């Protein structure tokens, strides 16, 4: 049961944190049309996160009360659980601290310039397109339904970020340098997507989760094809950062949460 | 004006036509800027349909649209100019010039 | 036809409420007035994204976050529709953007006020969008076709904005004492600037007569302001809050609410660059534009390369 919850949270946290990051662009994009496009993508991620958190809240509520109070290390959340109240959509995103979050490190990396944002999304979108294609056959009907709905969105995201990779790579000297730098810097966060967490291993066995590691060859092929068209080189660096999926994060997540959870922290228990 | 503008690099203007449901004609809904046709179609979807599925979108660079003259006699007065986006009567005057 | 004939035909169209379209003859001043008005309106939408955008990362629930994102995005869309309408008059978007960034063009003074609490997001939706809608609904019948069509599209989308703002405040007003206090504080700060959004009084608005004649404007500033006040007083009662004007009271004879004097000195100062956030807002717009330059250039360069390659491939094939 716990693995099922953690698995769902992993998906939810990825969607939320990336959606939050992309939302930071709103009003600051390089051109109006792309500001609108990026906000649409952000909205898709937040929408996915909402469905996933509803499911995660439900899974938490199914766990017996005394066990439930020992899952998380966040005081406000545990207080709520101890009071006997059932969790809802917003409790898990707004009341957990960083060491309870399970998103991949990639999603919490800063927006940087447009090139960094594009590179981060590209790695993520190619992965999630493959991932949701498998997840739609999950034995968890809820997750399968979310995956199926999200797949349409992710197909669009993938097209958007792939096209921008190519445009920037094969655009001007400056854009090529910038996107290559971004790729070089964020490459080390791409590997974690394929490292199976404990929850992923457990859910794979039950026919609920996806074999992320098995997606690597397809991901490589797609990335290689786009890089070729974009005239970019694949970084030689093989060392990959990991930890986010097991709740060990970079310094960035704490700051993201400080903003994201600001209202819940300053005015605990109030509804808005 | 965009192509004569010395101030470089404005993305071209595109006119957007959308078939809102099967059986209807494409209808002009507005315009937008995009670097190429693919981007124009995607932007049109984002801007004018907010991502509704199953609609058909046409885009055409505004400079390729030729328009009829609303008043034939006007050709005597205005220079021949059938570009819908170009209106030479707008003058850029210095800021210091007042009350004109 | 002579210029005079054109002028007569134009006047007749205006009188008969026939829309003026981009390629129709129009007086130079009509064109200039429209470009100024439409581009100002577009700039207001774009600058208006900033004070609300401020709260996207801090919205108090995922639902509120999604709604706010969608709302700020709508504003980008509205700015885009309006820039497009102005472009039919013979000015490029880049030229308009340049006028905004250099400080030459104006935008609605309201967006130079800070959003300091979550209640401000509600107050902006309710009061600021509410005031804007008064204006926009009237403009759906403005004489210039592309402008009127843009306004129809905008008004359709805008109604959700005011509702979401009011709903934020209504929800808070049913919450805790602190939340009610936060709502009242926001209303206190946004009420007067909202009234200023309609512009100077009619006595002080020299262009109004001409604009009304051209049906570029359909009601005077004071008429719209009065209409806004009349509907807002009732809405405020439902929130259980107060509007910060001791002179506000129903005038049986006029059939309208009387209201206290507006601080026009503050208004003109904000218009002329001295509002609390003028510099920040302009800087944010300038930064976004400058940091985006290489992105816009890259997309264009790529498009050119591709066209060239396609041409070369064609030549080879032939």
């Amino acid at each position: 049961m716990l693995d099922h919850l953690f698995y769902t949270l992993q998906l939810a946290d990825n969607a939320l944190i990336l959606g939050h990051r992309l939302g930071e662009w709103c009003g600051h994009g390089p051109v109006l049309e792309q500001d609108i496009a990026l906000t649409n993508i952000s909205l898709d991620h937040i929408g996915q996160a909402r469905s996933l958190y509803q499911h995660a809240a439900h899974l938490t509520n199914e766990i017996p009360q005394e066990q439930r109070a020992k899952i998380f290390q966040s005081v406000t959340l545990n207080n709520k659980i101890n009071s006997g109240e059932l969790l809802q959509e917003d409790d898990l995103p707004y009341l957990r601290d960083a060491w309870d979050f399970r998103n991949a490190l990639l999603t919490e990396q800063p927006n940087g310039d447009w090139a960094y944002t594009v590179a981060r999304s590209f790695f993520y979108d190619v992965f999630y397109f493959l991932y949701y294609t498998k997840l739609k056959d999950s034995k968890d009907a809820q997750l399968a339904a979310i995956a199926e709905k999200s797949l349409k969105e992710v197909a669009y995201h993938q097209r958007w970020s792939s096209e921008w990779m190519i445009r920037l790579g094969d655009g001007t000297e400056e854009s090529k340098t910038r996107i290559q730098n971004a790729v070089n810097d964020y490459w080390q966060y791409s590997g974690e997507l394929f490292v199976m967490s404990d929850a992923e291993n457990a859910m794979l066995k039950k026919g609920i989760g996806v074999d992320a590691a098995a997606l690597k060859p397809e991901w490589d092929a797609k990335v290689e094809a786009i890089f070729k068209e974009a005239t970019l080189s694949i970084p030689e660096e093989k060392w990959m950062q990991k930890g986010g999926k097991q709740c060990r994060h970079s310094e960035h997540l704490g700051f993201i949460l400080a903003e994201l959870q600001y209202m819940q922290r300053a005015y605990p228990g109030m509804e808005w | 004006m965009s192509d004569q503008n010395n101030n470089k690099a404005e993305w071209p203007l595109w006119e957007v036509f959308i078939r809102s449901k099967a059986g209807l004609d494409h209808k002009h809904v507005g315009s937008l800027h995009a670097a190429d046709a693919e981007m124009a179609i995607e932007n049109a979807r984002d801007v004018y349909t907010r991502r509704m599925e199953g609609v058909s979108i046409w885009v055409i660079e505004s400079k390729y649209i030729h328009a009829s003259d609303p008043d034939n006699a006007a050709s005597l007065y205005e220079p021949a100019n059938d570009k819908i986006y170009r209106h030479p009567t707008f003058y850029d005057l210095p800021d210091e010039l007042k009350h004109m | 036809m002579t210029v005079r004939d054109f002028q007569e035909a134009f006047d007749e169209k205006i009188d008969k409420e026939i829309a003026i379209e981009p390629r129709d003859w129009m007086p130079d001043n009509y064109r200039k007035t429209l470009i100024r008005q439409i581009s100002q309106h577009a700039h207001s939408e774009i600058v208006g994204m900033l004070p609300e955008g401020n709260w996207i990362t801090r919205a108090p629930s995922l639902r509120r976050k999604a709604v706010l994102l969608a709302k700020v995005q709508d504003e980008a869309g509205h700015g885009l529709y309006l820039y497009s309408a102005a472009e039919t008059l013979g000015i490029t978007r880049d030229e308009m953007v340049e006028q905004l960034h250099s400080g030459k063009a104006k935008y609605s003074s309201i967006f130079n006020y800070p959003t300091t609490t979550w209640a401000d997001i509600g107050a902006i939706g309710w009061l600021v969008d509410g005031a804007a809608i008064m204006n926009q609904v009237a403009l759906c019948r403005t004489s210039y076709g592309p402008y009127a069509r843009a306004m129809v599209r905008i008004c359709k989308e805008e109604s959700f904005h005011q509702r979401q703002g009011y709903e934020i405040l209504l929800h808070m007003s049913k919450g805790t004492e602190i939340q009610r206090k936060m709502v009242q504080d926001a209303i206190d700060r946004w009420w007067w600037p909202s009234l200023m959004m309609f512009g100077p009084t009619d006595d002080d608005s020299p262009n109004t007569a001409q604009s009304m004649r051209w049906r570029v404007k359909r009601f005077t500033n004071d008429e719209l302001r009065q209409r806004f006040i009349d509907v807002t007083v009732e809405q405020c009662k439902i929130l259980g809050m107060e509007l910060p004007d001791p002179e506000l009271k129903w005038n049986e004879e006029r059939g309208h609410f009387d209201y206290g004097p507006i601080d026009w000195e503050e208004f003109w100062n904000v218009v002329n660059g001295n509002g609390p956030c003028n510099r920040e807002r302009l800087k944010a717009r300038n930064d976004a534009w400058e940091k985006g330059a290489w992105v816009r250039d890259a997309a264009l360069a790529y498009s050119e390369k591709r066209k060239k390659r396609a041409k070369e491939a064609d030549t080879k094939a032939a």
Side-chain angles (χ1 to χ4, degrees):
Chain A
M1 197 71 200
L2 266 188
D3 283 323
H4 196 175
L5 168 63
F6 290 161
Y7 182 77
T8 306
L9 276 176
Q10 194 179 304
L11 298 172
D13 292 345
N14 271 339
L16 173 66
I17 299 302
L18 186 60
H20 179 94
R21 276 294 194 212
L22 294 176
E24 291 173 7
W25 271 104
C26 186
H28 305 277
V31 69
L32 216 38
E33 283 82 354
Q34 289 301 319
D35 205 304
I36 292 171
L38 201 51
T39 305
N40 263 340
I41 297 174
S42 169
L43 275 167
D44 287 343
H45 288 300
I46 306 270
Q48 289 171 20
R50 289 184 65 186
S51 306
L52 289 161
Y53 282 126
Q54 282 162 19
H55 190 43
H58 173 75
L59 292 171
T60 314
N61 295 335
E62 301 265 281
I63 297 169
Q65 169 85 20
E66 64 277 17
Q67 222 182 314
R68 219 187 304 158
K70 291 186 189 127
I71 307 172
F72 302 107
Q73 354 281 323
S74 306
V75 179
T76 19
L77 183 60
N78 287 341
N79 285 346
K80 184 151 193 170
I81 290 171
N82 285 327
S83 76
E85 256 187 273
L86 292 180
L87 296 191
Q88 290 177 354
E89 173 185 320
D90 286 322
D91 294 320
L92 291 164
Y94 282 91
L95 300 179
R96 278 175 307 151
D97 196 3
W99 55 348
D100 277 330
F101 267 76
R102 295 176 178 272
N103 58 289
L105 295 174
L106 177 70
T107 59
E108 67 200 46
Q109 299 311 306
N111 286 342
D113 63 9
W114 190 252
Y116 278 81
T117 294
V118 166
R120 185 186 59 198
S121 275
F122 175 66
F123 295 155
Y124 182 91
D125 298 341
V126 173
F127 175 79
Y128 261 99
F129 181 74
L130 299 171
Y131 199 90
Y132 279 145
T133 306
K134 299 278 184 214
L135 189 65
K136 73 178 177 0
D137 301 323
S138 170
K139 281 187 182 157
D140 177 339
Q142 200 68 32
L143 286 180
I146 294 171
E148 185 157 9
K149 180 175 176 288
S150 306
L151 198 55
K152 285 185 200 145
E153 298 168 351
V154 182
Y156 175 78
H157 302 170
Q158 181 182 243
R159 201 167 81 198
W160 180 88
S161 54
S162 301
E163 283 175 1
W164 271 108
M165 287 294 293
I166 296 167
R167 267 188 208 111
L168 297 181
D170 194 17
T172 60
E173 285 289 310
E174 181 179 7
S175 68
K176 189 186 177 114
T177 311
R178 282 178 184 263
I179 189 69
Q180 186 70 60
N181 286 343
V183 162
N184 294 348
D185 282 355
Y186 281 175
W187 183 254
Q188 57 176 331
Y189 300 108
S190 65
E192 189 193 4
L193 298 170
F194 307 96
V195 180
M196 298 285 280
S197 65
D198 300 341
E200 276 177 308
N201 278 320
M203 286 304 101
L204 178 61
K205 276 190 204 126
K206 289 197 166 169
I208 291 174
V210 172
D211 187 351
L215 303 175
K216 185 80 164 64
E218 269 185 276
W219 186 88
D220 283 341
K222 172 80 183 174
V223 168
E224 214 169 293
I226 296 292
F227 271 44
K228 191 164 173 239
E229 210 180 330
T231 70
L232 292 170
S233 18
I234 293 184
E236 280 163 25
E237 183 60 61
K238 296 275 184 282
W239 178 253
M240 290 289 165
Q241 305 297 331
K242 57 179 197 284
K245 286 160 83 170
Q246 301 278 14
C247 301
R248 285 187 302 277
H249 290 276
S250 66
E251 291 174 350
H252 303 295
L253 186 62
F255 292 100
I256 292 176
L257 297 183
E259 274 192 55
L260 182 91
Q261 302 173 340
Y262 158 74
M263 290 292 288
Q264 301 297 337
R265 301 292 179 198
Y267 306 96
M270 293 186 199
E271 280 182 36
W272 305 91
Chain B
M1 266 184 200
S2 53
D3 50 353
Q4 349 172 301
N5 204 337
N6 50 3
N7 146 10
K8 44 154 200 165
E10 179 160 20
W11 288 356
L13 188 65
W14 301 73
E15 300 300 320
V16 180
F17 302 81
I18 289 177
R19 185 206 299 282
S20 53
K21 60 177 183 204
L24 296 182
D25 287 326
H26 284 79
K27 191 174 162 232
H28 183 243
V29 294
S31 54
L32 49 75
H33 288 271
D36 51 49
E38 286 80 3
M39 197 201 270
I41 288 178
E42 282 164 26
N43 287 348
R45 192 160 155 244
D46 283 330
V47 173
Y48 287 102
T49 73
R50 293 289 196 276
R51 310 273 310 281
M52 267 190 304
E53 298 292 331
V55 294
S56 161
I57 298 172
W58 288 350
V59 295
I60 179 162
E61 243 188 282
S62 310
K63 68 177 177 189
Y64 294 124
I65 293 189
H66 294 259
S68 66
D69 202 311
D71 179 354
N72 279 331
S75 57
L76 298 169
Y77 180 70
E78 274 191 293
N81 177 9
D82 60 354
K83 294 288 187 273
I84 56 164
Y85 67 100
R86 191 176 285 162
H87 298 277
T89 42
F90 184 71
Y91 303 103
D92 193 16
L93 297 174
D95 294 346
E96 305 80 69
L97 198 66
K98 304 279 183 205
H99 311 297
M100 191 174 211
Chain C
M1 277 172 103
T2 63
V3 177
R4 195 144 139 214
D5 297 334
F6 280 115
Q7 180 73 53
E8 270 167 25
F10 174 84
D11 290 343
E12 200 185 317
K13 271 193 198 162
I14 296 276
D15 290 339
K16 288 188 178 158
E17 305 250 337
I18 297 171
I20 306 297
E21 293 297 338
R23 300 210 58 234
D24 294 343
W25 184 91
M26 62 187 86
D28 277 354
N29 261 330
Y30 176 82
R31 189 187 295 279
K32 276 187 206 168
T33 302
L34 274 171
I35 287 179
R36 195 186 59 229
Q37 185 174 326
I38 301 172
S39 63
Q40 266 182 24
H41 195 160
H43 298 327
S44 301
E45 297 281 355
I46 301 308
V47 178
M49 295 170 76
L50 298 170
E52 286 176 283
N54 225 348
W55 280 86
I56 289 171
T57 54
R58 289 177 293 169
S61 71
L62 292 183
R63 176 173 164 260
R64 294 285 184 212
K65 195 182 186 73
V67 170
L68 185 57
L69 267 166
K71 190 195 169 212
V72 178
Q73 182 194 40
D74 271 353
E75 279 151 21
H78 297 171
L80 192 153
Y81 305 155
L82 288 161
Y83 283 132
S84 296
E87 278 173 288
T88 65
L89 290 159
I91 184 166
T92 66
R93 192 198 290 177
D94 272 8
E95 286 171 304
M96 290 184 268
V97 165
E98 161 60 28
Q99 288 171 0
L100 171 69
H101 291 174
S102 67
K104 185 179 159 190
K106 301 286 180 223
Y107 55 87
S108 186
S109 57
I110 193 92
F111 301 117
N112 292 315
Y113 290 87
T115 47
T116 51
T117 72
W118 174 250
D120 289 17
I121 300 306
I124 287 185
W126 175 43
L127 296 174
V128 176
D129 292 333
I133 289 168
M134 286 284 158
N135 218 349
Q136 287 165 346
V137 168
L139 285 173
C140 289
R141 295 190 303 120
T142 192
S143 62
Y144 187 57
Y147 190 22
R149 289 191 287 275
M151 289 321 305
V152 169
R153 191 173 271 278
I154 290 172
C155 285
K156 260 190 219 156
E157 298 179 358
E158 194 81 35
S159 68
F160 121 75
H161 293 186
Q162 196 186 10
R163 280 156 188 263
Q164 69 89 32
Y166 191 77
E167 198 236 1
I168 286 176
L169 297 183
L170 192 62
H171 200 86
M172 289 175 71
S173 71
K174 290 177 181 159
T176 61
E177 189 55 41
I178 301 263
Q179 283 172 302
R180 276 190 291 279
K181 207 168 164 184
M182 200 185 271
V183 173
Q184 185 62 59
D185 167 68
I187 294 172
D188 290 348
R189 283 179 291 114
W190 290 94
W191 173 248
W192 290 108
S194 299
L195 295 189
M196 294 176 198
M197 279 176 74
F198 295 94
T201 59
D202 295 347
D203 301 340
D204 217 7
S205 180
N207 298 323
T208 294
Q210 179 64 79
S211 288
M212 299 276 286
R213 168 73 191 93
W214 278 335
R215 310 224 153 119
V216 169
K217 240 178 159 168
R218 308 287 323 213
F219 298 95
T220 70
N221 296 350
D222 284 333
E223 281 167 358
L224 289 171
R225 185 165 19 241
Q226 183 70 58
R227 197 180 290 182
F228 173 69
I229 292 170
D230 291 347
V231 301
T232 308
V233 171
E234 287 306 311
Q235 295 167 354
C236 191
K237 269 190 204 143
I238 298 171
L239 291 177
M241 298 290 151
E242 294 201 14
L243 294 171
D245 179 359
E247 292 177 47
L248 197 67
K249 69 166 190 288
W250 180 251
N251 183 324
E252 195 62 55
E253 208 174 298
R254 291 203 308 127
H256 290 295
F257 280 92
D258 289 338
Y259 54 97
I262 292 171
D263 184 351
W264 293 112
E265 198 191 339
E266 175 179 322
F267 172 75
W268 287 114
N269 264 291
V270 178
V271 167
N272 292 321
N274 292 329
C277 303
N278 290 57
R279 287 170 181 82
E280 279 169 60
R281 302 286 186 245
L282 266 192
K283 184 173 183 306
R285 285 315 313 159
N286 272 295
D287 282 354
W289 188 249
E290 280 161 24
K291 284 179 190 159
W294 70 269
V295 181
R296 297 190 298 275
D297 289 347
L300 215 48
Y302 172 69
S303 161
E304 297 294 325
K305 276 189 199 174
R306 229 174 36 157
K307 271 186 219 154
K308 212 172 130 197
R309 275 175 216 151
K311 217 181 227 173
E312 280 164 9
D314 276 355
T315 328
K316 247 183 226 162

